[in-house]
Amino acid sequence: PGLELWATGTGFVVSSTGDMVTNHHVIEGCREVRVGDFGEAEVIAFDEDNDLALLDLTVNQPIEVVSFRSQPKVARGEAIVVIGFPLHGTLSSFGNVTDGMISALSGFNDDFREYQFSAPIQPGNSGGPLLDRSGNVIGVVSSELVADAAEDVPQNVNFAIKAAIVEAFLGAYGVDFTVTPSEDSLEVEQIAADAERHTFLVECWGDPGDY
């Protein structure tokens, strides 16, 4: 009571006990964070420099988790899939799926911590998983290039934090996560169906008086 919805994003579950990853900017300044049907989530840790946050969900039984990719190395031109909750309240509340490819192995201004990818994203995709064609996580969707950062209006120039950065963040806080080699090439429909079991809407609720 008394709080209002400030912003939304996406998060994905990394441990069966309810540890979830999202972006720091998704939960920054929130009085309360809520995740899908899980209700209120606790912010356990965050890394502002790498734009990561760790949430703890209240779960009554083990839940589905993502797998991070162990091998092979990510390559330019590799096909990827993004699932998330863009423009919540306007687009589908059941999640949106887009696909594309890895455009570059570094991000904005050659940032080695990021991948550049071409799958379309919108506000609300932040914190969602960047998945390879085996359905394994290779990054966390973080940002898009906007018009004031380029001479022309950019199209599908988007960035994701590399999985290695995320794994180091989780390791620093003692979170156990799953790592799997990527060997199979699945259809996008199957990747999306699997991702729906571990990827959820994240809501940031705030006090109007904090503006």
Side-chain angles (χ1 to χ4, degrees):
L3 300 181
E4 62 182 24
L5 183 61
W6 276 4
T8 62
T10 304
F12 57 92
V13 180
V14 296
S15 79
S16 60
T17 56
D19 293 300
M20 168 176 273
V21 166
T22 189
N23 285 143
H24 172 258
H25 77 258
V26 170
I27 57 88
E28 185 176 13
C30 308
R31 286 292 186 96
E32 187 173 300
V33 177
R34 302 176 190 171
V35 175
D37 294 331
F38 296 98
E40 186 174 358
E42 182 181 358
V43 179
I44 299 297
F46 61 84
D47 179 345
E48 188 171 357
D49 290 339
N50 290 311
D51 196 16
L52 294 171
L54 178 63
L55 309 180
D56 181 40
L57 309 180
T58 300
V59 297
N60 298 319
Q61 58 187 9
I63 54 177
E64 294 282 342
V65 303
V66 300
S67 287
F68 289 89
R69 169 169 162 171
S70 60
Q71 58 180 350
K73 291 183 178 180
V74 175
R76 283 180 299 174
E78 181 175 335
I80 53 89
V81 175
V82 169
I83 185 169
F85 297 87
L87 300 176
H88 181 62
T90 301
L91 301 182
S92 172
S93 60
F94 297 100
N96 284 253
V97 178
T98 57
D99 65 345
M101 68 178 181
I102 295 292
S103 306
L105 299 179
S106 58
F108 189 67
N109 285 335
D110 246 357
D111 190 337
F112 74 94
R113 298 171 299 175
E114 299 177 329
Y115 294 120
Q116 180 186 326
F117 66 93
S118 66
I121 63 170
Q122 307 292 335
N125 274 115
S126 293
L130 183 71
L131 303 166
D132 66 14
R133 289 302 293 267
S134 291
N136 292 329
V137 173
I138 58 173
V140 178
V141 175
S142 59
S143 62
E144 58 184 326
L145 188 63
V146 294
D148 59 4
E151 294 182 3
D152 298 318
V153 177
Q155 297 183 8
N156 299 336
V157 180
N158 307 310
F159 305 105
I161 304 155
K162 293 180 179 179
I165 305 294
V166 185
E167 291 174 10
F169 171 66
L170 295 175
Y173 292 96
V175 177
D176 291 327
F177 52 88
T178 302
V179 178
T180 308
S182 292
E183 299 171 340
D184 302 322
S185 182
L186 304 176
E187 296 295 329
V188 173
E189 300 95 308
Q190 183 61 54
I191 295 171
D194 292 341
E196 286 179 348
R197 295 196 287 269
H198 56 58
T199 304
F200 299 96
L201 174 72
V202 178
E203 297 178 337
C204 171
W205 291 78
D207 188 329
D210 290 341
Y211 277 126

